[in-house]
Amino acid sequence: MYTIFKDSTILLVDDVPENLTVLGSIFSSLHCELIAVQDGKQAIELAVSEKPDLILLDISMPGMNGFEVCQSLKKNSETKDIPVIFVSAKVSSEDITKGFESGAVDYVTKPFNHAELTARAGTHLTLSKAIKDRESLLQDKDKFISLIAHDIKSPLSGVMSLMRLISEDYEAFDEAERREMLNDIYESLSAQYKFVVDLLDWGRLQLGRVDLNKETIDPKMIVEAVTSLHKLNAENKGVNLKTSFNTDAKFEADPTHIDTILTNLVSNAVKFTKQGGDVTVQVDSFVGKIKISVQDTGIGMSEEDKAKLFKNDIIHTTPGTNQEIGTGLGLLLVRELAEKNGGMLDFASELGKGTTFFVTFPIS
């Protein structure tokens, strides 16, 4: 349980220096960060600025007493969720009741047992961090659902508008115009279908419902299979799709997952590369690992776009060089599939010069 204290900050509030020394010696051995103050007003200011994970608070202090400090903290939206434990020599039932009524989560009387105090502090740190994690997950979920709704509704609205035009004014358009409109509808619906497939796969990963059936993978075979499927699309766009193999090493992974990873990376590389550009899929080995790189000479990414790339609460999409539509979920899926198979995804990109994605796995 004591690992909860690592990377935690505890604010110690007591007007007696000797008491702060005792508390400090107890909790410093648990490798947490400590802030010690002797004044209630200063304690409130530090709680607002430092956002400690836990506050140990004395009651009998000059100026603001502990009850007043706790009440003030609970009224402030920035500090109301910080757990407060009173550590006091006041032992009457009235004082203990008043302590809980002022917003404290616990009350420890002096002289206290060191093991009991650390156990109670650890329990409340664990509960507090669990609540924060849950709230963060709920916020991410709400943002994600909102973004998904937008990404589904907007393209479908465009499809419906085109369908209405064709339905209501079919004869007003010549054959070339109708064919172009139907092609736009097909492209939009294809992108939405891919979005739904990626969303379902990503959701199953979050729920732990994706089976892992590892086999020995020959990277050359799977790379050649994937690139052959994208060869025609690359040629139609005027992009040179190449492969390079500098190792015969193999690795253990689920072949279906590796196929999904490479398909996403290669299709993205082609999508963001202009006519005359190159996409190279290269396999190397180094220090017990196999590295598959997908490098393009495309449009690259800005620093802002790179920062958004793997955030679960942002479905980041960018049109391709021929205005191809992306799902925004592909790279999230790629990263999680790589990690599920014991690998790692990384990338390097420079705006206007291209992007390289690297996926690495331990050599079997």
Side-chain angles (χ1 to χ4, degrees):
M1 183 186 76
Y2 293 141
T3 56
I4 191 67
F5 288 98
K6 292 182 179 180
D7 301 321
S8 294
T9 301
I10 301 178
L11 175 61
L12 309 176
V13 188
D14 198 307
D15 65 319
V16 180
E18 291 80 6
N19 291 341
L20 290 176
T21 300
V22 171
L23 289 171
S25 66
I26 294 171
F27 289 98
S28 62
S29 64
L30 298 173
H31 308 290
C32 56
E33 183 178 343
L34 299 176
I35 305 171
V37 295
Q38 296 176 251
D39 174 78
K41 186 177 179 181
Q42 188 181 7
I44 293 171
E45 292 172 354
L46 282 170
V48 172
S49 62
E50 301 298 325
K51 302 295 189 301
D53 299 294
L54 179 68
I55 299 173
L56 300 184
L57 179 61
D58 185 30
I59 293 175
S60 298
M61 297 185 295
M64 292 182 74
N65 64 39
F67 296 135
E68 292 169 330
V69 171
C70 190
Q71 289 166 356
S72 179
L73 291 170
K74 297 305 167 182
K75 289 178 182 177
N76 189 328
S77 61
E78 294 187 67
T79 56
K80 65 182 180 63
D81 295 324
I82 301 173
V84 175
I85 298 178
F86 279 119
V87 183
S88 174
K90 289 181 174 289
V91 297
S92 71
S93 59
E94 290 83 2
D95 287 321
I96 294 173
T97 299
K98 189 173 181 180
F100 284 110
E101 288 176 346
S102 66
V105 297
D106 211 338
Y107 195 110
V108 178
T109 58
K110 299 175 183 176
F112 51 78
N113 179 283
H114 292 192
E116 179 185 357
L117 179 60
T118 53
R120 291 193 183 191
T123 296
H124 291 295
L125 277 173
T126 302
L127 288 171
S128 176
K129 291 192 174 184
I131 290 170
K132 287 179 184 177
D133 289 343
R134 179 177 177 274
E135 289 175 348
S136 177
L137 285 171
L138 289 173
Q139 289 173 1
D140 287 348
K141 182 204 72 173
D142 291 342
K143 289 179 184 177
F144 195 72
I145 288 173
S146 175
L147 289 164
I148 287 171
H150 176 269
D151 273 37
I152 290 176
K153 286 171 63 178
S154 295
L156 289 180
S157 296
V159 169
M160 289 172 66
S161 296
L162 284 173
M163 291 294 290
R164 186 177 63 251
L165 282 173
I166 295 174
S167 175
E168 294 177 354
D169 299 303
Y170 185 84
E171 300 299 336
F173 302 102
D174 60 31
E175 182 61 26
E177 289 172 326
R178 288 194 290 264
R179 188 175 295 277
E180 182 179 355
M181 293 167 75
L182 287 172
N183 184 66
D184 289 342
I185 291 170
Y186 171 78
E187 293 292 339
S188 183
L189 289 176
S190 295
Q192 286 307 293
Y193 176 77
K194 178 67 164 56
F195 179 86
V196 171
V197 170
D198 284 348
L199 178 60
L200 291 173
D201 287 343
W202 186 84
R204 288 171 62 228
L205 274 169
Q206 305 313 298
L207 295 172
R209 295 177 181 172
V210 174
D211 293 331
L212 186 62
N213 300 305
K214 285 190 173 184
E215 300 176 9
T216 300
I217 303 291
D218 182 341
K220 182 175 182 180
M221 288 182 63
I222 201 162
V223 165
E224 287 181 338
V226 170
T227 52
S228 67
L229 291 175
H230 290 82
K231 206 81 172 177
L232 181 60
N233 183 40
E235 289 174 356
N236 289 339
K237 196 175 179 182
V239 172
N240 185 25
L241 179 56
K242 303 179 291 183
T243 56
S244 175
F245 304 99
N246 302 312
T247 181
D248 294 323
K250 297 177 175 60
F251 63 101
E252 297 292 319
D254 188 311
T256 303
H257 296 172
I258 303 305
D259 182 89
T260 300
I261 290 169
L262 293 177
T263 294
N264 272 280
L265 294 180
V266 173
S267 63
N268 274 355
V270 172
K271 182 172 78 170
F272 293 115
T273 302
K274 295 178 181 179
Q275 182 177 4
D278 296 318
V279 171
T280 304
V281 185
Q282 182 168 310
V283 181
D284 299 283
S285 60
F286 67 102
V287 198
K289 293 185 181 296
I290 219 163
K291 179 173 73 173
I292 306 175
S293 309
V294 181
Q295 180 179 23
D296 66 61
T297 58
I299 60 177
M301 288 181 273
S302 66
E303 294 301 318
E304 181 182 2
D305 284 344
K306 286 191 279 187
K308 295 177 182 177
L309 207 55
F310 294 115
K311 288 190 174 182
N312 287 3
D313 61 341
I314 299 175
I315 302 178
H316 179 60
T317 58
T318 304
T321 55
N322 283 357
Q323 297 304 305
E324 301 99 323
I325 302 171
T327 72
L329 277 171
L331 287 176
L332 285 176
L333 186 61
V334 164
R335 182 185 63 178
E336 299 205 18
L337 284 175
E339 291 175 353
K340 187 174 180 66
N341 283 271
M344 181 181 296
L345 178 69
D346 202 355
F347 74 99
S349 184
E350 188 173 349
L351 190 62
K353 294 188 177 180
T355 300
T356 303
F357 278 93
F358 315 91
V359 60
T360 58
F361 298 95
I363 291 174
S364 57

